């Protein structure tokens, strides 16, 4: 009777639910398309009691169905009793898309029938049934499952050129997990990391991933145009570059290289009946900015691009492959698609957390309708250049791009992981890739915004509940062996006894109690830490008896709670840009106004409190606690470590960043107030920070070595070594400060004139005032490298010209530490200025040094706009007034601007100079159009000089307006967004 009530309740509930919510959640990933409870009762089994027998389709209807026996009868049944599971091959599965991958499962009280049309469908049917047995132990509700993928091609991709290359064991294990999630293809983004004997200087054979994965669909991958920086950085290939990232299409030797690399790639797939070949060719906006400029100007950038694609297509095309490419360039200029082969697959990539991709996909839909080009969609795990992927980015990105791609006719979905910072591990993306598996197999259905949001929330909650369970099953949840369920002898011990798994009466209560009883007994007997960490609060006393009070355990059932907690923390306003990978690498002594004040210290304190709270609630140590117990680093990652180890590392890296921010504030106080006690405290804090960073490095390398080989491991170690050296050598860092003194005005006929300003230079270190820290400083002003024979600094000195001040100090091993500082001498140096528009506060270094930075005599770096001397304005004009105090003659104004289109930075549209005698009424003195070329996308400096020699301005007030370069251009990935304007100094002569 109670089962009847349960089924009736489910039926009534389904009537009131929208179509997308009618499927019964059976607790597996991906969610089947259709699940219907069909019979009262359960299919009951125990360990080692199942086998699969193949029968003909004509025999199915005549198969007898016996009434269900009771749970008690099932418990008393002898072991090794064989319960039939029938395997049936049919011509089609009614109502299914992608028939070759479709299957049906009928679970009845005395038998199970698996129906499929192909070997692939059979594999999915058996995998689903195995997941059900794993999830529901000895009692499966009777049901019918009709299942098939929405997308025929579901591919995962790993970037192995700008980040690490997986070792073979991890690659195999990871591929098995992806296959278990019903991905049916893999791809490895490659520029130079595929060994080619013709170019042994580009890749070592020991770093060469064999690309052998169990997926049925293979995707060869070779960058063939842009993002060629790793190759072009090698001096022997400089002659092939148009820009530092683009091959030169006007050089025939570029195609000789490509032909060799393409042939080498194709050879890997020569035994495949069919494979895809991704030639990439994305983000080539810098085309024609270098050696190919004349060629591109003569033929047109669009034509040159299409000619290149067609030539590469012919090199890569065979009878057994289909060619694909990223569609970002041609989607912005759809008329180009007419010049491409009609079977070229265009990949629509987009990593924004949008909820509607209709307008984004329109060019691809129109190209398919007009020219026949198929297209795929490519969402992303969104963990590039950050210490961890954030759920609020990748969850909607994957869900809604998968929905809209399927809705508009995409034939495949390629989920990407990118390693732009070089520190990202693919295991950072387990949760994101599992979500991509869910959405690419069975996307959300609703298109109405409100209904879609409700469906999204329901699917997200269901997925996370299932994911918690899935992670603990990865080690033993793959495939069948000898027609028997592999791993069934571990059936009970592999299943967490979380009450949420039993979902009311949909699971046998007697079986649940029996499973829990057996599991508890095994836990106490075996002290298996992986099983123990799954325990609920009610069993904590048992855990304490086995492993003690202080062992750091992350409870398996709360894994997604932990993932979302870390994600929310990384998106917190106080964390700001500390979520970025390079945040920890910022120099310790970057004393910007926003990094050294009381608010900066409060920010670091608050972030540390939030981290400690998360660590306490999830039973994991803070980085500081772990540094005191380094033996626990690997114990935390004992089994299936990547499931949460990367999130722990993300927390710890953020903790180290906050600790470094605290120390920076304290050191600035010491630098100014010369307090001996505070100096001693800071020295201890510096030593502690080095220890924390060493622990962090060990933790990261532990994760790295589980996943990757030697390729670029040395770069990780070098990065941490530089981090330690920055801290250890901080007390020898030479600060160069300059003070500008303005002379008094002098009468000269009818004009009030001033002599040149006086610049006083001070050289000092953090603790040079301390009695135990009398370190010598040597310097030069003539451009020569300083030595012990150079001038010894004894006190402040003055300079009256532009010069580079080079300094020499020595670290604790008596090794030289060199630094340099350029001071620019000009007429406007040190004069007060008023900013009428605010500079950007997105990152602290964008202040350039504060409100007076544009007349401080300090130029920014030629290749780094974030060095602290460039002042940035986002979507704003620069509007600044200079007050000379008395009328002065101005003959020229020179300004430098940083341009890096990919980083949203454009040179200005125009510069206007006004003058006034009272600061109220203004007259236009000169206007200069700048006309920058946004296609010069590589970082460079644009310099503009307004010469007023013919009509010099004589005035007390000068107002300079620099017009912003406007919205980002069409070819940019964020076209239409406001651009940045960066300048470093207003040079007045």
């Amino acid at each position: 009777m109670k089962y009847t009530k349960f089924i009736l309740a489910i039926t009534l509930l389904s009537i009131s639910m929208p179509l997308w919510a009618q499927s019964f959640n059976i607790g597996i990933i991906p969610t089947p398309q259709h699940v219907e409870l069909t019979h009262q009762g359960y299919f009951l089994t125990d360990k080692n009691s199942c086998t699969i027998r193949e029968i003909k389709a004509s025999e199915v209807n005549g198969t007898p169905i016996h009434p269900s026996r009771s749970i008690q009868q099932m418990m008393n049944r002898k072991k090794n009793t064989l319960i039939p599971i029938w395997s049936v091959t049919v011509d089609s599965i009614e109502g299914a898309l992608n028939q070759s991958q479709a299957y049906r499962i009928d679970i009845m009280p005395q038998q199970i029938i698996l129906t499929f049309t192909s070997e692939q469908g059979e594999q999915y049917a058996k995998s689903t049934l195995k997941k059900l047995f794993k999830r529901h132990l000895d009692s499966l509700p009777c049901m019918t499952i009709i299942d098939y993928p929405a997308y025929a091609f579901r591919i995962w991709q790993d970037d192995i050129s700008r980040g690490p290359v997986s070792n073979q064991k991890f690659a195999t294990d990871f591929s098995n997990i992806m296959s278990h999630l019903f991905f049916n293809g893999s791809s490895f983004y490659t520029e130079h990391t595929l060994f080619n004997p013709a170019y042994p200087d580009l890749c070592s054979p020991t770093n060469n991933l064999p690309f052998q994965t169990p997926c049925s669909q293979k995707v060869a991958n070779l960058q063939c145009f842009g993002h060629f920086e790793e190759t072009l950085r090698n001096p022997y290939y400089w002659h092939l570059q148009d820009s530092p990232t683009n091959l030169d299409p006007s050089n025939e030797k570029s195609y000789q290289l490509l032909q060799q690399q393409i042939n080498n790639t194709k050879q890997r797939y020569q035994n495949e009946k069919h494979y895809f070949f991704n030639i990439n060719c994305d983000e080539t906006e810098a085309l024609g900015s270098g050696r190919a400029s004349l060629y591109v100007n003569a033929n047109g950038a669009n034509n040159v691009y299409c000619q290149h694609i067609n030539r590469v297509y012919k090199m890569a095309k065979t009878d057994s492959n289909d060619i694909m490419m990223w569609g970002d360039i041609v989607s912005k200029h759809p008329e180009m698609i007419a010049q491409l082969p009609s079977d070229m697959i265009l990949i629509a990539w987009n990593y924004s957390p949008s909820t509607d991709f209709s307008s984004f996909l329109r060019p691809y839909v129109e190209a398919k309708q007009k020219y026949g080009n198929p297209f795929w969609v490519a969402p992303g795990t969104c963990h590039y250049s950050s210490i961890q992927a954030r759920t609020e980015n990748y969850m909607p990105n994957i869900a809604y791009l998968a929905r809209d791609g399927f809705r508009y006719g995409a034939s495949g979905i390629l989920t990407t992981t990118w390693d732009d910072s070089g520190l990202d591990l693919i295991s950072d993306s387990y949760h994101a890739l599992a979500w991509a598996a869910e959405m690419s197999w069975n996307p959300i259905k609703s298109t109405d915004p409100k209904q879609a949001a409700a469906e999204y929330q329901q699917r997200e909650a269901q997925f996370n509940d299932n994911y918690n369970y899935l992670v603990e099953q990865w080690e033993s949840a793959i495939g069948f062996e000898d027609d028997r369920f592999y791993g069934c002898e571990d059936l009970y011990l592999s299943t967490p006894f979380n009450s949420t798994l039993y979902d009311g009466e949909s699971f046998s209560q007697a079986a649940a109690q029996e499973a829990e009883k057996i599991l508890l007994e095994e836990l106490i007997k075996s002290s298996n830490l992986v099983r123990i960490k799954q325990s609920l609060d009610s069993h904590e006393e048992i855990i304490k008896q086995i492993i003690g009070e202080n062992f750091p355990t992350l409870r398996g059932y709360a894994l997604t709670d932990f993932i979302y907690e870390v994600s929310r923390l990384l998106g917190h306003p106080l964390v700001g840009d500390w979520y970025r990978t390079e945040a920890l690498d910022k120099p310790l002594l970057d004393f910007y106004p926003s990094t050294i004040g009381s608010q900066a210290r409060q920010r670091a304190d608050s972030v540390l409190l939030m981290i400690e709270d998360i660590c306490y609630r999830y039973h994991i140590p803070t980085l500081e606690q772990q540094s005191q117990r380094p033996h626990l680093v690997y114990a935390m990652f004992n089994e299936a470590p990547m499931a949460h180890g990367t999130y722990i590392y993300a927390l710890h890296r953020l903790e180290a960043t906050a600790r470094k921010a605290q120390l920076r504030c304290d050191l600035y106080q010491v630098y100014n107030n010369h307090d001996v006690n505070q100096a001693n405290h800071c020295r201890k804090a510096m030593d502690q920070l080095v220890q924390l960073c060493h622990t962090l490095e060990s933790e990261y390398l532990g994760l790295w070595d589980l996943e990757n080989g030697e390729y670029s491991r040395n770069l990780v170690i070098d990065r941490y070594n530089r981090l330690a050296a920055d801290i250890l050598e901080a007390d020898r860092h030479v600060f160069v400060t300059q003070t500008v003194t303005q002379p008094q005005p002098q009468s000269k006929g009818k004009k009030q004139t001033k002599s040149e300003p006086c610049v006083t230079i001070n050289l000092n270190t953090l603790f040079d005032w301390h009695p135990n820290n009398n370190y010598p400083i040597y310097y030069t002003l003539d451009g020569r490298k300083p030595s012990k024979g150079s001038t010894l600094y004894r006190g402040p000195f003055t300079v009256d010209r532009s010069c580079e001040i080079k300094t020499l100090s020595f670290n604790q091993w008596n090794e030289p530490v060199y630094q340099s500082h350029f001071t620019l001498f000009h007429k406007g140096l040190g004069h007060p200025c008023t900013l009428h528009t605010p500079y950007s506060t997105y990152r602290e270094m964008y202040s350039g040094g504060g409100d007076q930075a544009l007349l401080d005599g300090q130029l920014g770096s030629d290749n780094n706009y974030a060095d602290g001397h460039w002042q940035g304005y986002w979507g704003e004009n620069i509007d600044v007034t200079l007050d000379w105090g008395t009328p002065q003659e101005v003959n020229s104004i020179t300004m430098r601007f940083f341009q890096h289109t990919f980083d949203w930075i454009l040179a200005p549209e125009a510069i206007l100079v006004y003058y006034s005698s009272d600061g109220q009424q203004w007259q236009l003195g000169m206007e200069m159009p700048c006309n920058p070329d946004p296609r010069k996308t590589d970082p460079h400096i644009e310099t503009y000089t307004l010469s007023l020699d013919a009509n010099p301005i004589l005035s007390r007030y000068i107002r300079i307006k620099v017009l912003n370069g406007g919205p980002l251009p069409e070819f940019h990935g964020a076209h239409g967004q406001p651009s940045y304007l960066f300048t470093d100094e207003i040079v007045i002569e």
Side-chain angles (χ1 to χ4, degrees), residues 34 64 83 117 124 174 264 279 284 287 303 407 415 449 457 523 525 626 692 736 738-739 811 829 910 946 971:
H34 302 285
I83 299 297
T117 64
Y124 290 148
F174 186 83
N264 181 55
I279 60 174
T284 56
L287 176 61
N303 290 330
R407 173 185 171 196
T415 304
Q457 292 174 3
L523 286 175
K525 182 169 61 177
Q626 188 164 305
L692 291 181
V736 181
Q738 58 185 47
T739 305
N811 65 19
L829 186 66
L946 290 81
F971 63 77

Side-chain angles (χ1 to χ4, degrees), residues 839-840 842-848 865-866 870-872 980 982:
Y839 51 75
S840 171
Y842 178 69
R843 301 178 72 181
E844 57 267 13
M845 61 283 295
Y846 292 179
S847 71
Y865 60 87
W870 288 96
Q871 192 167 83
Y980 272 99
F982 272 85

Side-chain angles (χ1 to χ4, degrees), residues 597-613:
S598 59
Q599 290 185 342
R601 180 57 193 253
Q602 291 171 6
R603 173 193 180 190
D605 293 346
S606 299
V607 170
L608 284 172
L609 285 175
M610 290 188 285
I611 292 172
E612 291 170 3
D613 176 63

Side-chain angles (χ1 to χ4, degrees), residues 859-860 862 870 895-898 941-943 982-985:
L859 295 178
D862 286 348
W870 288 96
M895 297 183 71
R896 304 195 323 157
F897 300 92
F898 201 99
I941 306 298
E942 297 280 357
T943 302
F982 272 85
T983 191
D984 58 352
E985 186 80 0

Side-chain angles (χ1 to χ4, degrees), residues 110-140:
Q110 291 297 320
Q111 62 190 347
I112 297 175
I113 301 176
L114 309 181
T115 309
F116 39 79
T117 64
S118 69
E119 183 179 341
Q120 184 70 78
E122 179 182 14
Q123 177 185 337
Y124 290 148
K126 289 180 178 179
S127 180
T128 295
L129 187 58
K130 183 175 187 294
K131 294 173 188 176
L132 290 172
F133 273 108
K134 282 286 187 180
R135 188 68 192 256
H136 295 278
L137 295 181
D138 67 349
S139 178
L140 294 185

Side-chain angles (χ1 to χ4, degrees), residues 874-893:
W874 187 54
E876 296 275 5
N877 300 325
I878 298 174
D879 188 353
V880 56
T881 296
L882 286 67
D883 180 3
W884 299 112
T886 60
Q888 296 289 307
E889 186 175 283
V890 175
N891 295 292
S892 72
I893 298 175

Side-chain angles (χ1 to χ4, degrees), residues 376-388:
W376 288 18
V377 291
T381 62
C382 305
H383 75 303
Y384 46 86
S385 300
S386 64
I387 59 179
Q388 186 53 259

